[in-house]
mmCIF file of all heavy atoms in Angstrom:
data_model
loop_
_atom_site.group_PDB
_atom_site.id
_atom_site.type_symbol
_atom_site.label_atom_id
_atom_site.label_comp_id
_atom_site.label_asym_id
_atom_site.label_seq_id
_atom_site.Cartn_x
_atom_site.Cartn_y
_atom_site.Cartn_z
ATOM 1 N N LYS A 11 110.599 85.566 111.727
ATOM 2 C CA LYS A 11 109.407 84.768 111.472
ATOM 3 C C LYS A 11 109.763 83.444 110.799
ATOM 4 O O LYS A 11 110.825 83.305 110.268
ATOM 5 C CB LYS A 11 108.440 85.543 110.625
ATOM 6 C CG LYS A 11 107.853 86.760 111.280
ATOM 7 C CD LYS A 11 106.761 87.411 110.427
ATOM 8 C CE LYS A 11 106.151 88.586 111.115
ATOM 9 N NZ LYS A 11 105.019 89.199 110.325
ATOM 10 N N GLN A 12 108.802 82.529 110.909
ATOM 11 C CA GLN A 12 109.003 81.218 110.258
ATOM 12 C C GLN A 12 108.783 81.346 108.730
ATOM 13 O O GLN A 12 108.052 82.233 108.277
ATOM 14 C CB GLN A 12 108.015 80.227 110.836
ATOM 15 C CG GLN A 12 108.381 79.773 112.236
ATOM 16 C CD GLN A 12 107.538 78.571 112.674
ATOM 17 O OE1 GLN A 12 106.428 78.349 112.216
ATOM 18 N NE2 GLN A 12 108.043 77.799 113.602
ATOM 19 N N ARG A 13 109.396 80.436 108.035
ATOM 20 C CA ARG A 13 109.212 80.369 106.583
ATOM 21 C C ARG A 13 107.782 79.975 106.302
ATOM 22 O O ARG A 13 107.229 79.075 106.953
ATOM 23 C CB ARG A 13 110.188 79.395 105.964
ATOM 24 C CG ARG A 13 110.262 79.493 104.420
ATOM 25 C CD ARG A 13 111.368 78.592 103.880
ATOM 26 N NE ARG A 13 112.670 79.062 104.337
ATOM 27 C CZ ARG A 13 113.852 78.532 103.853
ATOM 28 N NH1 ARG A 13 113.786 77.603 102.882
ATOM 29 N NH2 ARG A 13 114.947 78.979 104.308
ATOM 30 N N GLU A 14 107.124 80.664 105.351
ATOM 31 C CA GLU A 14 105.756 80.388 105.061
ATOM 32 C C GLU A 14 105.530 80.180 103.570
ATOM 33 O O GLU A 14 106.238 80.763 102.738
ATOM 34 C CB GLU A 14 104.823 81.526 105.537
ATOM 35 C CG GLU A 14 105.087 82.880 104.872
ATOM 36 C CD GLU A 14 104.113 83.936 105.284
ATOM 37 O OE1 GLU A 14 103.195 83.647 106.096
ATOM 38 O OE2 GLU A 14 104.253 85.070 104.796
ATOM 39 N N SER A 15 104.563 79.391 103.247
ATOM 40 C CA SER A 15 104.193 79.118 101.865
ATOM 41 C C SER A 15 103.485 80.320 101.248
ATOM 42 O O SER A 15 102.628 80.945 101.883
ATOM 43 C CB SER A 15 103.289 77.941 101.772
ATOM 44 O OG SER A 15 102.857 77.669 100.460
ATOM 45 N N VAL A 16 103.866 80.683 100.040
ATOM 46 C CA VAL A 16 103.216 81.774 99.364
ATOM 47 C C VAL A 16 102.361 81.285 98.251
ATOM 48 O O VAL A 16 101.200 81.698 98.065
ATOM 49 C CB VAL A 16 104.308 82.731 98.801
ATOM 50 C CG1 VAL A 16 103.684 83.836 97.940
ATOM 51 C CG2 VAL A 16 105.125 83.344 99.925
ATOM 52 N N ALA A 17 102.896 80.409 97.383
ATOM 53 C CA ALA A 17 102.152 79.932 96.215
ATOM 54 C C ALA A 17 102.744 78.590 95.799
ATOM 55 O O ALA A 17 103.954 78.337 95.966
ATOM 56 C CB ALA A 17 102.249 80.913 95.048
ATOM 57 N N ARG A 18 101.902 77.732 95.214
ATOM 58 C CA ARG A 18 102.332 76.426 94.778
ATOM 59 C C ARG A 18 101.625 76.059 93.482
ATOM 60 O O ARG A 18 100.441 76.329 93.324
ATOM 61 C CB ARG A 18 102.013 75.402 95.888
ATOM 62 C CG ARG A 18 102.491 74.008 95.629
ATOM 63 C CD ARG A 18 102.265 73.147 96.879
ATOM 64 N NE ARG A 18 102.707 71.766 96.734
ATOM 65 C CZ ARG A 18 101.939 70.797 96.352
ATOM 66 N NH1 ARG A 18 100.695 71.005 96.102
ATOM 67 N NH2 ARG A 18 102.417 69.545 96.241
ATOM 68 N N ILE A 19 102.394 75.428 92.612
ATOM 69 C CA ILE A 19 101.782 75.006 91.328
ATOM 70 C C ILE A 19 102.167 73.589 91.023
ATOM 71 O O ILE A 19 103.322 73.197 91.206
ATOM 72 C CB ILE A 19 102.290 75.965 90.173
ATOM 73 C CG1 ILE A 19 101.553 75.688 88.892
ATOM 74 C CG2 ILE A 19 103.813 75.918 89.959
ATOM 75 C CD1 ILE A 19 101.738 76.760 87.800
ATOM 76 N N THR A 20 101.198 72.760 90.639
ATOM 77 C CA THR A 20 101.451 71.384 90.274
ATOM 78 C C THR A 20 100.984 71.185 88.854
ATOM 79 O O THR A 20 100.223 71.974 88.298
ATOM 80 C CB THR A 20 100.672 70.428 91.195
ATOM 81 O OG1 THR A 20 99.255 70.726 91.030
ATOM 82 C CG2 THR A 20 101.055 70.576 92.622
ATOM 83 N N TYR A 21 101.503 70.073 88.244
ATOM 84 C CA TYR A 21 101.140 69.825 86.858
ATOM 85 C C TYR A 21 99.708 69.412 86.765
ATOM 86 O O TYR A 21 99.270 68.494 87.451
ATOM 87 C CB TYR A 21 102.067 68.743 86.283
ATOM 88 C CG TYR A 21 101.766 68.432 84.853
ATOM 89 C CD1 TYR A 21 102.139 69.297 83.838
ATOM 90 C CD2 TYR A 21 101.037 67.290 84.491
ATOM 91 C CE1 TYR A 21 101.844 69.024 82.526
ATOM 92 C CE2 TYR A 21 100.736 67.001 83.193
ATOM 93 C CZ TYR A 21 101.156 67.887 82.193
ATOM 94 O OH TYR A 21 100.874 67.578 80.901
ATOM 95 N N GLY A 22 98.907 70.117 85.979
ATOM 96 C CA GLY A 22 97.572 69.700 85.740
ATOM 97 C C GLY A 22 96.532 70.234 86.724
ATOM 98 O O GLY A 22 95.335 69.871 86.616
ATOM 99 N N SER A 23 96.965 70.994 87.715
ATOM 100 C CA SER A 23 96.026 71.536 88.679
ATOM 101 C C SER A 23 96.167 73.032 88.799
ATOM 102 O O SER A 23 97.189 73.617 88.385
ATOM 103 C CB SER A 23 96.339 70.924 90.042
ATOM 104 O OG SER A 23 96.166 69.544 90.029
ATOM 105 N N SER A 24 95.145 73.658 89.321
ATOM 106 C CA SER A 24 95.193 75.086 89.534
ATOM 107 C C SER A 24 96.173 75.461 90.622
ATOM 108 O O SER A 24 96.272 74.704 91.623
ATOM 109 C CB SER A 24 93.786 75.621 89.878
ATOM 110 O OG SER A 24 92.901 75.369 88.808
ATOM 111 N N PRO A 25 96.815 76.537 90.502
ATOM 112 C CA PRO A 25 97.762 76.974 91.590
ATOM 113 C C PRO A 25 96.990 77.310 92.856
ATOM 114 O O PRO A 25 95.751 77.583 92.810
ATOM 115 C CB PRO A 25 98.415 78.231 91.031
ATOM 116 C CG PRO A 25 98.115 78.270 89.551
ATOM 117 C CD PRO A 25 96.858 77.476 89.369
ATOM 118 N N ASN A 26 97.666 77.216 93.984
ATOM 119 C CA ASN A 26 97.053 77.725 95.215
ATOM 120 C C ASN A 26 97.964 78.755 95.870
ATOM 121 O O ASN A 26 99.165 78.709 95.698
ATOM 122 C CB ASN A 26 96.651 76.596 96.152
ATOM 123 C CG ASN A 26 97.797 75.644 96.436
ATOM 124 O OD1 ASN A 26 98.846 76.029 96.976
ATOM 125 N ND2 ASN A 26 97.612 74.399 96.019
ATOM 126 N N TYR A 27 97.312 79.632 96.642
ATOM 127 C CA TYR A 27 97.993 80.795 97.183
ATOM 128 C C TYR A 27 97.678 80.985 98.680
ATOM 129 O O TYR A 27 96.630 80.559 99.155
ATOM 130 C CB TYR A 27 97.576 82.071 96.461
ATOM 131 C CG TYR A 27 97.874 82.067 94.986
ATOM 132 C CD1 TYR A 27 96.967 81.599 94.063
ATOM 133 C CD2 TYR A 27 99.109 82.490 94.535
ATOM 134 C CE1 TYR A 27 97.237 81.595 92.706
ATOM 135 C CE2 TYR A 27 99.401 82.497 93.195
ATOM 136 C CZ TYR A 27 98.477 82.044 92.279
ATOM 137 O OH TYR A 27 98.777 82.002 90.942
ATOM 138 N N ALA A 28 98.611 81.594 99.366
ATOM 139 C CA ALA A 28 98.304 82.007 100.763
ATOM 140 C C ALA A 28 97.274 83.128 100.679
ATOM 141 O O ALA A 28 97.200 83.891 99.741
ATOM 142 C CB ALA A 28 99.554 82.576 101.398
ATOM 143 N N ASP A 29 96.412 83.183 101.689
ATOM 144 C CA ASP A 29 95.345 84.162 101.699
ATOM 145 C C ASP A 29 95.927 85.558 101.629
ATOM 146 O O ASP A 29 95.296 86.468 101.002
ATOM 147 C CB ASP A 29 94.520 83.992 102.997
ATOM 148 C CG ASP A 29 93.653 82.780 102.943
ATOM 149 O OD1 ASP A 29 93.412 82.192 101.882
ATOM 150 O OD2 ASP A 29 93.153 82.354 104.047
ATOM 151 N N SER A 30 97.063 85.799 102.218
ATOM 152 C CA SER A 30 97.648 87.112 102.265
ATOM 153 C C SER A 30 98.091 87.634 100.907
ATOM 154 O O SER A 30 98.265 88.843 100.744
ATOM 155 C CB SER A 30 98.829 87.133 103.190
ATOM 156 O OG SER A 30 99.798 86.252 102.793
ATOM 157 N N VAL A 31 98.226 86.766 99.847
ATOM 158 C CA VAL A 31 98.684 87.190 98.568
ATOM 159 C C VAL A 31 97.688 86.960 97.462
ATOM 160 O O VAL A 31 97.928 87.346 96.299
ATOM 161 C CB VAL A 31 100.034 86.522 98.189
ATOM 162 C CG1 VAL A 31 101.019 86.694 99.343
ATOM 163 C CG2 VAL A 31 99.867 85.059 97.892
ATOM 164 N N LYS A 32 96.551 86.337 97.761
ATOM 165 C CA LYS A 32 95.544 86.048 96.751
ATOM 166 C C LYS A 32 95.076 87.339 96.077
ATOM 167 O O LYS A 32 94.802 88.335 96.730
ATOM 168 C CB LYS A 32 94.344 85.302 97.350
ATOM 169 C CG LYS A 32 94.534 83.873 97.567
ATOM 170 C CD LYS A 32 93.317 83.247 98.185
ATOM 171 C CE LYS A 32 93.517 81.748 98.439
ATOM 172 N NZ LYS A 32 92.293 81.150 99.139
ATOM 173 N N GLY A 33 95.024 87.255 94.711
ATOM 174 C CA GLY A 33 94.625 88.425 93.969
ATOM 175 C C GLY A 33 95.757 89.402 93.683
ATOM 176 O O GLY A 33 95.551 90.343 92.861
ATOM 177 N N ARG A 34 96.894 89.192 94.289
ATOM 178 C CA ARG A 34 98.044 90.128 94.068
ATOM 179 C C ARG A 34 99.220 89.362 93.426
ATOM 180 O O ARG A 34 99.931 89.965 92.605
ATOM 181 C CB ARG A 34 98.501 90.731 95.394
ATOM 182 C CG ARG A 34 97.453 91.560 96.070
ATOM 183 C CD ARG A 34 98.055 92.339 97.275
ATOM 184 N NE ARG A 34 98.547 91.441 98.302
ATOM 185 C CZ ARG A 34 99.823 91.483 98.731
ATOM 186 N NH1 ARG A 34 100.679 92.346 98.237
ATOM 187 N NH2 ARG A 34 100.213 90.624 99.696
ATOM 188 N N PHE A 35 99.426 88.120 93.810
ATOM 189 C CA PHE A 35 100.574 87.312 93.330
ATOM 190 C C PHE A 35 100.054 86.260 92.321
ATOM 191 O O PHE A 35 98.967 85.709 92.494
ATOM 192 C CB PHE A 35 101.284 86.602 94.446
ATOM 193 C CG PHE A 35 102.073 87.543 95.348
ATOM 194 C CD1 PHE A 35 101.942 88.899 95.325
ATOM 195 C CD2 PHE A 35 102.938 86.996 96.279
ATOM 196 C CE1 PHE A 35 102.634 89.718 96.177
ATOM 197 C CE2 PHE A 35 103.657 87.795 97.186
ATOM 198 C CZ PHE A 35 103.506 89.175 97.085
ATOM 199 N N THR A 36 100.877 85.976 91.333
ATOM 200 C CA THR A 36 100.557 84.903 90.386
ATOM 201 C C THR A 36 101.813 84.036 90.150
ATOM 202 O O THR A 36 102.869 84.530 89.804
ATOM 203 C CB THR A 36 100.113 85.468 89.026
ATOM 204 O OG1 THR A 36 98.990 86.318 89.242
ATOM 205 C CG2 THR A 36 99.722 84.372 88.061
ATOM 206 N N ILE A 37 101.592 82.743 90.349
ATOM 207 C CA ILE A 37 102.698 81.777 90.058
ATOM 208 C C ILE A 37 102.473 81.154 88.699
ATOM 209 O O ILE A 37 101.317 80.882 88.321
ATOM 210 C CB ILE A 37 102.777 80.685 91.151
ATOM 211 C CG1 ILE A 37 104.012 79.801 90.967
ATOM 212 C CG2 ILE A 37 101.527 79.817 91.216
ATOM 213 C CD1 ILE A 37 104.306 78.864 92.151
ATOM 214 N N SER A 38 103.540 80.970 87.956
ATOM 215 C CA SER A 38 103.424 80.345 86.636
ATOM 216 C C SER A 38 104.739 79.570 86.379
ATOM 217 O O SER A 38 105.706 79.743 87.005
ATOM 218 C CB SER A 38 103.171 81.391 85.578
ATOM 219 O OG SER A 38 104.298 82.284 85.479
ATOM 220 N N ARG A 39 104.627 78.669 85.388
ATOM 221 C CA ARG A 39 105.813 77.896 85.029
ATOM 222 C C ARG A 39 105.956 77.874 83.539
ATOM 223 O O ARG A 39 104.993 77.759 82.786
ATOM 224 C CB ARG A 39 105.699 76.451 85.584
ATOM 225 C CG ARG A 39 104.501 75.652 85.149
ATOM 226 C CD ARG A 39 104.272 74.415 85.973
ATOM 227 N NE ARG A 39 105.302 73.446 85.882
ATOM 228 C CZ ARG A 39 105.407 72.371 86.688
ATOM 229 N NH1 ARG A 39 104.557 72.173 87.652
ATOM 230 N NH2 ARG A 39 106.400 71.516 86.471
ATOM 231 N N ASP A 40 107.174 77.906 83.077
ATOM 232 C CA ASP A 40 107.512 77.827 81.667
ATOM 233 C C ASP A 40 108.399 76.566 81.485
ATOM 234 O O ASP A 40 109.609 76.618 81.746
ATOM 235 C CB ASP A 40 108.215 79.060 81.201
ATOM 236 C CG ASP A 40 108.491 79.101 79.689
ATOM 237 O OD1 ASP A 40 108.561 78.000 79.090
ATOM 238 O OD2 ASP A 40 108.621 80.182 79.121
ATOM 239 N N ASN A 41 107.781 75.456 81.087
ATOM 240 C CA ASN A 41 108.530 74.224 81.015
ATOM 241 C C ASN A 41 109.657 74.264 80.009
ATOM 242 O O ASN A 41 110.724 73.655 80.168
ATOM 243 C CB ASN A 41 107.612 73.064 80.707
ATOM 244 C CG ASN A 41 106.623 72.764 81.826
ATOM 245 O OD1 ASN A 41 106.897 73.067 82.990
ATOM 246 N ND2 ASN A 41 105.483 72.172 81.476
ATOM 247 N N ALA A 42 109.479 75.074 78.943
ATOM 248 C CA ALA A 42 110.493 75.124 77.867
ATOM 249 C C ALA A 42 111.766 75.788 78.400
ATOM 250 O O ALA A 42 112.854 75.539 77.943
ATOM 251 C CB ALA A 42 109.918 75.886 76.687
ATOM 252 N N LYS A 43 111.560 76.718 79.392
ATOM 253 C CA LYS A 43 112.721 77.428 79.967
ATOM 254 C C LYS A 43 113.123 76.888 81.321
ATOM 255 O O LYS A 43 114.017 77.417 81.952
ATOM 256 C CB LYS A 43 112.370 78.941 80.116
ATOM 257 C CG LYS A 43 112.146 79.617 78.802
ATOM 258 C CD LYS A 43 111.908 81.116 78.991
ATOM 259 C CE LYS A 43 111.708 81.803 77.630
ATOM 260 N NZ LYS A 43 111.468 83.304 77.837
ATOM 261 N N ASN A 44 112.460 75.825 81.764
ATOM 262 C CA ASN A 44 112.767 75.245 83.066
ATOM 263 C C ASN A 44 112.716 76.274 84.199
ATOM 264 O O ASN A 44 113.577 76.294 85.082
ATOM 265 C CB ASN A 44 114.153 74.534 83.084
ATOM 266 C CG ASN A 44 114.205 73.371 82.106
ATOM 267 O OD1 ASN A 44 113.153 72.736 81.841
ATOM 268 N ND2 ASN A 44 115.322 73.119 81.516
ATOM 269 N N THR A 45 111.733 77.134 84.136
ATOM 270 C CA THR A 45 111.647 78.280 85.062
ATOM 271 C C THR A 45 110.236 78.469 85.582
ATOM 272 O O THR A 45 109.286 78.233 84.894
ATOM 273 C CB THR A 45 112.070 79.580 84.332
ATOM 274 O OG1 THR A 45 113.451 79.435 83.811
ATOM 275 C CG2 THR A 45 112.005 80.780 85.268
ATOM 276 N N VAL A 46 110.216 78.777 86.871
ATOM 277 C CA VAL A 46 108.972 79.128 87.557
ATOM 278 C C VAL A 46 109.034 80.621 87.931
ATOM 279 O O VAL A 46 110.105 81.093 88.375
ATOM 280 C CB VAL A 46 108.760 78.260 88.798
ATOM 281 C CG1 VAL A 46 107.528 78.705 89.555
ATOM 282 C CG2 VAL A 46 108.658 76.777 88.349
ATOM 283 N N TYR A 47 107.914 81.290 87.812
ATOM 284 C CA TYR A 47 107.887 82.721 88.069
ATOM 285 C C TYR A 47 106.903 83.029 89.203
ATOM 286 O O TYR A 47 105.958 82.272 89.464
ATOM 287 C CB TYR A 47 107.423 83.497 86.816
ATOM 288 C CG TYR A 47 108.311 83.275 85.624
ATOM 289 C CD1 TYR A 47 107.942 82.360 84.648
ATOM 290 C CD2 TYR A 47 109.488 83.964 85.498
ATOM 291 C CE1 TYR A 47 108.741 82.173 83.546
ATOM 292 C CE2 TYR A 47 110.263 83.796 84.353
ATOM 293 C CZ TYR A 47 109.928 82.873 83.408
ATOM 294 O OH TYR A 47 110.707 82.665 82.301
ATOM 295 N N LEU A 48 107.115 84.167 89.851
ATOM 296 C CA LEU A 48 106.160 84.669 90.813
ATOM 297 C C LEU A 48 105.993 86.165 90.474
ATOM 298 O O LEU A 48 106.894 86.953 90.728
ATOM 299 C CB LEU A 48 106.643 84.490 92.246
ATOM 300 C CG LEU A 48 105.618 84.927 93.317
ATOM 301 C CD1 LEU A 48 104.411 83.989 93.293
ATOM 302 C CD2 LEU A 48 106.225 84.940 94.694
ATOM 303 N N GLN A 49 104.874 86.483 89.852
ATOM 304 C CA GLN A 49 104.556 87.886 89.606
ATOM 305 C C GLN A 49 103.914 88.444 90.826
ATOM 306 O O GLN A 49 102.863 87.939 91.252
ATOM 307 C CB GLN A 49 103.647 87.981 88.374
ATOM 308 C CG GLN A 49 103.187 89.393 88.050
ATOM 309 C CD GLN A 49 104.336 90.275 87.609
ATOM 310 O OE1 GLN A 49 105.130 89.849 86.783
ATOM 311 N NE2 GLN A 49 104.392 91.495 88.069
ATOM 312 N N MET A 50 104.491 89.541 91.346
ATOM 313 C CA MET A 50 103.952 90.138 92.574
ATOM 314 C C MET A 50 103.539 91.582 92.265
ATOM 315 O O MET A 50 104.374 92.365 91.874
ATOM 316 C CB MET A 50 105.066 90.125 93.648
ATOM 317 C CG MET A 50 105.635 88.745 93.913
ATOM 318 S SD MET A 50 106.795 88.706 95.320
ATOM 319 C CE MET A 50 108.092 89.769 94.685
#
């Protein structure tokens, strides 16, 4: 299959998600740790 977007987070805006993962996945960022997470 082709690569598909799952979740995206920008500074100052709400994250957005693919319909297939809404309500199940959460994207977050920790600027202090220079890390982005995807809780599934």
Side-chain angles (χ1 to χ4, degrees):
K11 295 188 177 181
Q12 288 191 333
R13 191 173 296 189
E14 62 176 359
S15 175
V16 174
R18 185 172 181 266
I19 187 167
T20 59
Y21 180 75
S23 299
S24 299
N26 52 62
Y27 299 92
D29 288 343
S30 59
V31 307
K32 280 181 182 176
R34 299 189 298 123
F35 290 11
T36 302
I37 188 171
S38 61
R39 59 195 294 169
D40 186 334
N41 291 337
K43 296 183 178 179
N44 297 330
T45 301
V46 175
Y47 302 98
L48 185 68
Q49 177 67 44
M50 306 186 295

